[in-house]
Amino acid sequence: SSENVYVFNGDLVDRGDHSCEIVLLIFALKLSHPDAVFVNRGNHEEPHINIYSGFEEECVSKYDHRVFQTFHQAFVWLPYACLVNEKTLVLHAGLPADSKNVGLDDIRGIARGPDVCSEEANWGKERWIRDLTWSDPHPDPNFRGVEKSARGAGVLWGEDVTIEFFARNGLSALVRSHQCVDAGVDVAHGERVYTVFSASNYCGMSGNLGAVLIQRHGCDKPTEAYQWDPREEAKMS
């Protein structure tokens, strides 16, 4: 409902044995409540990642390869980000290397479709579009600027980059996912950057909690975290 809005922040698949069921449920929720359910695109809404990480195999074993292709015909139309309460930017991974030359209007203007980085409207933007689904905050709190990521795509960015981007775009918080964190949620860059990871015990072996973030109406940033351990009852923090 308009009083209870959900954002699913990418990587809908490749997080366990039930990716097909999860993405079908999320899409069904979106269809039944289009103004209350929002779904961002992550780096695992890419076919070459799914071939490596297991979603293609799951689709073929449960259905056939046409189903895998059909999922991707939907994935290419997912947006890269959304804005909550006009102050919290929600995207899958992080800020682009060229963040000083990228703003919210540029992200809104990304043309979606069958091959995002081949769309004429996106020519020249290919690198920073990829950064949105691959980047991470730098693990060193004293680091400044950006550097290449060991992932092979995206960048690691420092707190100074966050501060400059927020000031120029009128933001108070960035909510991202992309990284498995032990408590299911982590906060960096002076409580400006929130990482939330909802797949508890990732891949059946990580032992991490799962979490969702809650942001109340009218608030500039997340207000609560809801965490769970498959072995225990869920709790609020």
Side-chain angles (χ1 to χ4, degrees), residues 157-206:
W157 86 94
E159 183 176 349
D160 60 319
V161 176
T162 297
I163 292 171
E164 189 278 334
F165 187 83
F166 279 22
R168 189 160 42 81
N169 291 282
L171 297 174
S172 297
L174 168 65
V175 173
R176 39 95 59 185
S177 301
H178 195 48
Q179 287 177 293
C180 178
V181 290
D182 289 343
V185 61
D186 188 55
V187 185
H189 294 181
E191 298 188 356
R192 295 179 181 90
V193 176
Y194 295 76
T195 297
V196 58
F197 197 83
S198 61
S200 58
N201 196 26
Y202 178 43
C203 292
M205 63 181 70
S206 297

Side-chain angles (χ1 to χ4, degrees), residues 12-181:
L12 311 180
V13 299
D14 290 330
R15 291 295 177 262
D17 296 330
H18 304 290
S19 292
C20 291
E21 292 82 0
I22 289 170
V23 72
L24 287 170
L25 174 60
I26 292 172
F27 282 178
L29 289 171
K30 176 63 177 175
L31 290 170
S32 61
H33 302 282
D35 297 324
V37 176
F38 298 88
V39 186
N40 286 340
R41 186 174 183 176
N43 63 310
H44 280 259
E45 280 69 60
E46 295 278 356
H48 65 285
I49 300 296
N50 299 150
I51 291 169
Y52 173 80
S53 300
F55 182 53
E56 181 194 41
E57 182 179 354
E58 180 182 337
C59 288
V60 172
S61 66
K62 293 179 178 178
Y63 305 103
D64 57 37
H65 204 268
R66 290 176 299 174
V67 170
F68 176 70
Q69 294 171 323
T70 301
F71 275 125
H72 278 282
Q73 289 172 357
F75 290 164
V76 296
W77 293 102
L78 295 177
Y80 282 85
C82 61
L83 197 60
V84 176
N85 293 348
E86 301 298 323
K87 287 291 185 178
T88 297
L89 178 64
V90 184
L91 50 75
H92 179 68
L95 298 180
D98 194 26
S99 63
K100 289 185 178 181
N101 296 311
V102 176
L104 296 183
D105 286 341
D106 297 299
I107 297 173
R108 287 190 187 98
I110 296 173
R112 290 175 263 165
D115 190 350
V116 170
C117 286
S118 293
E119 294 289 333
E120 185 174 357
N122 293 337
W123 290 354
K125 306 175 184 177
E126 295 89 347
R127 177 175 175 179
W128 69 255
I129 290 174
R130 294 299 184 197
D131 288 347
L132 300 178
T133 60
W134 281 96
S135 295
D136 300 294
H138 202 287
D140 180 356
N142 297 315
F143 178 82
R144 296 294 179 264
V146 298
E147 68 178 15
K148 289 183 178 179
S149 171
R151 292 179 183 271
V155 297
L156 303 174
W157 86 94
E159 183 176 349
D160 60 319
V161 176
T162 297
I163 292 171
E164 189 278 334
F165 187 83
F166 279 22
R168 189 160 42 81
N169 291 282
L171 297 174
S172 297
L174 168 65
V175 173
R176 39 95 59 185
S177 301
H178 195 48
Q179 287 177 293
C180 178
V181 290

